[in-house]
Amino acid sequence: DTAVSQTPKYLVTQMGNDKSIKCEQNLGHDTMYWYKQDSKKFLKIMFSYNNKELIINETVPNRFSPKSPDKAHLNLHINSLELGDSAVYFCASSPRTSGSRSGANVLTFGAGSRLTVL
Amino acid sequence: AQSVTQPDIHITVSEGASLELRCNYSYGATPYLFWYVQSPGQGLQLLLKYFSGDTLVQGIKGFEAEFKRSQSSFNLRKPSVHWSDAAEYFCAVGVYGGATNKLIFGTGTLLAVQP
């Protein structure tokens, strides 16, 4: 069983379209994240959710809307896609976001979803 | 501000040779440090982490890293590289702000292995 699974793995679409990427984790973790990896391989956090509650929103355009129906799922919806949105989007999860530091920051990543906007 | 610097964008080593990938961090408190590896077309896999205690940490696949507070460094090493080690390597620092925990990544080092 894949610990953190993302779908789709590849997504090619036209500018202006709306698309979603889904993420599910079966690790029982409380916290989930979306990271964006640009064409230069730079990884930057976009959002984090803890038990369905938005914790981090790192100055991401409001065309990006994460949704967490339960703590095992964190989906990313993108409206009005632009060329600059082309990237690999990684979902990740970690045990918890507060309290003891020892487990909170060990992230488990999904395999990534490569989005290409034409 | 917290940051991670990986000075080497690209490194090529011969199979069987030793490897050291450099990582420097900037963080006001005691850092939590990580090395992740990304194979082509794959997600990121945790190689090792440093939280506290012994400054030399062992990881998977024969990798180790040494935390040096005086140099703000956390370099990754392997005594003998295998062709399967060719990948992108990312150093990261864990940042805490109450409930807002996250990883800040360096820009990565691409490792190529020559036969």
Side-chain angles (χ1 to χ4, degrees):
Chain A
D1 265 351
T2 304
V4 180
S5 58
Q6 302 178 224
T7 55
K9 192 173 173 67
Y10 299 98
L11 187 54
V12 180
T13 188
Q14 301 286 332
M15 272 198 309
N17 285 350
D18 304 338
K19 291 294 178 186
S20 293
I21 306 172
K22 296 185 177 182
C23 179
E24 175 181 6
Q25 54 95 3
N26 63 6
L27 298 167
H29 287 169
D30 289 337
T31 306
M32 296 185 72
Y33 309 79
W34 279 109
Y35 278 79
K36 179 180 180 180
Q37 186 176 47
D38 63 22
S39 58
K40 296 185 178 178
K41 298 290 186 77
F42 183 61
L43 276 154
K44 191 173 190 305
I45 190 168
M46 300 173 68
F47 302 102
S48 78
Y49 269 73
N50 184 52
N51 277 325
K52 304 191 295 177
E53 180 186 355
L54 178 66
I55 300 298
I56 294 176
N57 181 342
E58 288 276 316
T59 60
V60 176
N62 57 15
R63 297 184 295 105
F64 291 78
S65 52
K67 284 186 174 49
S68 183
D70 54 62
K71 76 173 191 178
H73 295 83
L74 179 61
N75 303 324
L76 183 65
H77 188 75
I78 315 170
N79 290 326
S80 303
L81 278 156
E82 301 177 355
L83 292 176
D85 298 332
S86 295
V88 181
Y89 293 85
F90 285 99
C91 179
S93 68
S94 67
R96 58 192 177 281
T97 192
S98 61
S100 166
R101 295 175 71 183
S102 64
N105 275 106
V106 181
L107 272 62
T108 300
F109 283 85
S113 297
R114 182 177 292 277
L115 171 65
T116 303
V117 182
L118 303 175
Chain B
Q2 307 94 351
S3 65
V4 177
T5 302
Q6 293 180 247
D8 304 307
I9 297 173
H10 186 235
I11 283 183
T12 300
V13 300
S14 298
E15 192 168 15
S18 64
L19 171 70
E20 182 169 27
L21 302 183
R22 295 183 292 165
C23 172
N24 293 96
Y25 67 89
S26 173
Y27 188 62
T30 300
Y32 281 1
L33 296 162
F34 304 81
W35 276 99
Y36 281 85
V37 61
Q38 184 181 19
S39 298
Q42 302 296 314
L44 287 92
Q45 181 182 23
L46 179 68
L47 281 177
L48 46 78
K49 62 185 184 289
Y50 170 77
F51 284 165
S52 65
D54 193 346
T55 56
L56 184 64
V57 293
Q58 302 298 320
I60 62 171
K61 304 184 180 184
F63 285 92
E64 65 178 25
E66 186 171 13
F67 170 59
K68 293 185 177 179
R69 184 187 300 275
S70 61
Q71 298 176 19
S72 298
S73 69
F74 188 57
N75 294 349
L76 182 72
R77 300 193 294 249
K78 187 169 184 178
S80 177
V81 169
H82 187 262
W83 64 266
S84 61
D85 293 325
E88 188 97 29
Y89 290 80
F90 293 93
C91 181
V93 63
V95 174
Y96 280 82
T100 57
N101 299 338
K102 61 184 179 183
L103 291 181
I104 294 177
F105 285 90
T107 49
T109 298
L110 181 62
L111 174 65
V113 180
Q114 287 181 335

